[in-house]
């Protein structure tokens, strides 16, 4: 069964992760978010939903 032989696939997986960690991740983290989350000071009051069949 070729799935059990890690020889051809381990190096591919390792190179993929190294590429992602060293090249892609810093590029992706350099983007700024357009909508940063805001802190709400007052709690939001919810009203219960009235179901028509109850």
């Amino acid at each position: 069964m070729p799935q059990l032989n890690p020889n051809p696939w381990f190096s591919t997986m390792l190179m993929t992760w190294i590429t992602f960690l060293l090249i892609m991740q810093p590029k992706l983290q350099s983007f700024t978010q357009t909508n940063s989350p805001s802190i709400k000071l007052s709690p939001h009051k919810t009203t219960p939903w009235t179901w028509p069949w109850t």
Side-chain angles (χ1 to χ4, degrees), residues 20 23-37:
F20 176 73
I23 297 173
M24 297 302 291
Q25 191 176 19
K27 288 182 181 284
L28 291 174
Q29 287 181 348
S30 68
F31 292 118
T32 58
Q33 294 180 353
T34 56
N35 296 326
S36 59

Side-chain angles (χ1 to χ4, degrees), residues 15-26 28:
M15 291 305 292
T16 303
W17 273 105
I18 289 174
T19 302
F20 176 73
L21 291 175
L22 295 178
I23 297 173
M24 297 302 291
Q25 191 176 19
L28 291 174

Side-chain angles (χ1 to χ4, degrees), residues 25-52:
Q25 191 176 19
K27 288 182 181 284
L28 291 174
Q29 287 181 348
S30 68
F31 292 118
T32 58
Q33 294 180 353
T34 56
N35 296 326
S36 59
S38 62
I39 299 173
K40 296 191 179 217
L41 298 176
S42 64
H44 183 68
K45 296 186 179 186
T46 61
T47 58
W49 180 268
T50 56
W51 297 95

